[in-house]
């Protein structure tokens, strides 16, 4: 397996591999809902609902993977306090996602006011998600959390 998927087999955990799904689904779902409101298009609205639902499911998987990944860090790791900030933002985004998706499935026949409210909540979701994702990126790029030490094991070469 290592010869076929060296990146996957060398990863310390799967959290970075699953976090991008809810991000993409939430952004696309929010955009679809905005477009559906502007154009009064019920098909696009339903498409956005499915995207938001997939985002909620993906967020649940990313949450589990994130908790498992954080267990391996320890309290003395670089950026440990920021892990809590990242976690809190992303748990908030996940809860908001599950809530707005649940409300939308429950209120299947909701009118324009409901759709506008859910769209505003989806924009807030993307905002909270962006703050949490930024903290996750800071953990990786500033503190090297979840990545190798960055040292090269090969002799330098030139092209």
């Amino acid at each position: 397996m290592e010869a076929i998927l060296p990146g996957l087999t060398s990863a310390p955990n799967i959290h970075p591999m699953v976090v991008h799904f809810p991000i993409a689904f939430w952004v696309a779902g929010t955009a679809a809902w905005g477009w559906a409101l502007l154009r009064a298009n019920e098909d696009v609205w339903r498409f956005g609902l499915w995207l938001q639902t997939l985002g909620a499911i993906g967020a649940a998987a990313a949450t589990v993977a994130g908790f498992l990944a954080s267990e391996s860090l320890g309290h003395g790791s670089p950026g440990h306090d920021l892990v809590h900030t990242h976690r809190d933002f992303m748990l908030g985004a996940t809860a908001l996602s599950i809530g707005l998706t649940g409300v939308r499935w429950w209120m299947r026949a909701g009118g324009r006011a409901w759709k506008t409210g859910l769209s505003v909540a989806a924009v807030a979701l993307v905002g909270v998600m962006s703050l949490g994702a930024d903290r996750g990126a800071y953990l990786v790029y500033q503190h090297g959390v979840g990545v190798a030490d960055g040292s090269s094991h090969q002799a330098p070469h030139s092209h």
Side-chain angles (χ1 to χ4, degrees):
M1 187 66 118
E2 192 171 330
I4 298 170
L5 299 170
L8 181 63
T9 57
S10 67
N13 60 72
I14 65 164
H15 183 65
M17 290 169 245
V18 297
V19 297
H20 300 94
F21 291 104
I23 291 169
F25 286 133
W26 286 339
V27 170
T30 300
W33 278 359
W35 183 257
L37 275 176
L38 287 174
R39 306 304 262 166
N41 188 320
E42 195 60 33
D43 290 335
V44 175
W45 181 263
R46 278 191 298 276
F47 178 62
L49 175 58
W50 281 104
L51 290 170
Q52 294 289 4
T53 302
L54 290 170
I57 293 167
T63 299
V64 170
F67 276 112
L68 293 173
S70 69
E71 289 295 317
S72 66
L73 294 177
H75 289 283
S77 65
H80 176 75
D81 291 338
L82 194 56
V83 170
H84 296 288
T85 304
H86 168 65
R87 176 203 63 204
D88 293 346
F89 275 123
M90 297 316 284
L91 285 175
T94 300
L96 186 55
S97 172
I98 291 168
L100 76 88
T101 305
V103 165
R104 185 58 195 132
W105 280 107
W106 178 61
M107 293 292 301
R108 299 217 16 140
R112 186 164 179 83
W114 272 100
K115 290 177 180 177
T116 301
L118 289 171
S119 296
V120 169
V123 169
L125 162 64
V126 169
V128 173
M129 177 271 307
S130 296
L131 293 171
D134 175 73
R135 289 355 180 248
Y138 193 82
L139 284 165
V140 171
Y141 296 120
Q142 190 64 33
H143 295 290
V145 173
V147 297
D149 64 6
S151 63
S152 175
H153 301 289
Q154 298 176 352
H157 68 279
S158 64
H159 291 276

